[in-house]
Amino acid sequence: MSKSPLATLFACTAAIYVTATHLPLLHADESANAQFCKETGFYTSSEFSPKDFANIQMTEDGATETAGRFGNMMCTGGKVTGRDKIMAIRASWMKSLGIDERDFVVLAALSNARTYENQNLSSIAGPVSQIGNGYAAAGLVELDALGANASMFARFTVVDRCLQSGAERSPLLRHILCTREQLDPTKAYAELDATAELNNGTRYRLRRLVRKTAEAAAKRRAELDALAKTDPGVAKVIAIADAQFKEW
């Protein structure tokens, strides 16, 4: 029995919505790979071999384009020589960027001009909405008010804003305070994965914030510690901050 026009329209609309907001994880089985290809829009008959991926940069530079290259290989109807070796290159590239399979789907989709709904974090209950929009100083006050109830992602949010506040008043003191936060990327990632309302695009963006903030905080802390060796005033402030965080 054929579907009515209304039923057909409903099915098509639902399919478009799912494609736009929820891209799938990758798995080894062919059906999942076919779904990945369908929803990221990769269709090609090109042939590939490991030499096509010999110049992959193990950095974020051109990450979207690189994901697209791998996506094309995974979805081609043409001959692929050394597929396992290419997938090993992909795994190494993903590891160097600190991304997982869901992140890869996002980058691959973006390379093919597929975008995600821009979610309002304030409307999503849980870790991602504990700190509101505003200045770095406001975030520090909010974090202090939350105390032990502050999520790890909230801590990353505040430190991220803090480290970008170099042009504001007393950035040195603020940077000393925010680089004393004990940050745990693994815990923050787990909080994001436990927030079911996040679409893959938002999840990728927030995971990237966590990753980049961890790197920036470690770098800035090392700079401040080096400065403390030549500036007794800075050393004293750092000692006070460390003592306060230890008590807290």
Side-chain angles (χ1 to χ4, degrees), residues 101-238:
E101 291 290 357
R102 288 176 68 180
D103 295 331
F104 173 74
V105 173
V106 173
L107 290 171
L110 291 175
S111 76
N112 230 6
R114 301 289 177 104
T115 57
Y116 293 81
E117 175 190 355
N118 187 16
Q119 294 181 291
N120 179 6
L121 297 184
S122 65
S123 66
I124 300 176
V128 299
S129 59
Q130 281 192 326
I131 303 297
N133 294 324
Y135 295 107
L140 288 169
V141 173
E142 288 179 280
L143 190 62
D144 185 62
L146 285 168
N149 293 319
S151 67
M152 184 55 64
F153 180 76
R155 298 180 190 282
F156 272 96
T157 300
V158 170
V159 173
D160 172 58
R161 293 182 192 174
C162 173
L163 293 177
Q164 296 185 47
S165 64
E168 296 182 17
R169 186 178 178 182
S170 303
L172 182 62
L173 177 59
R174 186 170 298 158
H175 285 188
I176 289 173
L177 289 174
C178 67
T179 55
R180 284 17 241 179
E181 279 290 343
Q182 298 300 306
L183 300 178
D184 185 341
T186 300
K187 187 176 291 186
Y189 291 151
E191 290 174 348
L192 295 178
D193 283 340
T195 307
E197 296 88 346
L198 297 179
N199 65 35
N200 278 352
T202 301
R203 176 183 179 271
Y204 168 76
R205 177 170 59 83
L206 300 185
R207 277 172 53 87
R208 186 177 185 277
L209 180 149
V210 168
R211 185 171 68 253
K212 291 298 183 182
T213 301
E215 294 172 356
K219 179 181 178 182
R220 185 57 174 147
R221 180 165 180 152
E223 292 172 348
L224 292 169
D225 289 345
L227 180 61
K229 293 179 180 179
T230 59
D231 189 325
V234 172
K236 186 172 182 179
V237 174
I238 288 177

Side-chain angles (χ1 to χ4, degrees), residues 8-21:
T8 300
L9 178 61
F10 178 82
C12 291
T13 302
I16 291 172
Y17 175 78
V18 170
T19 298
T21 59

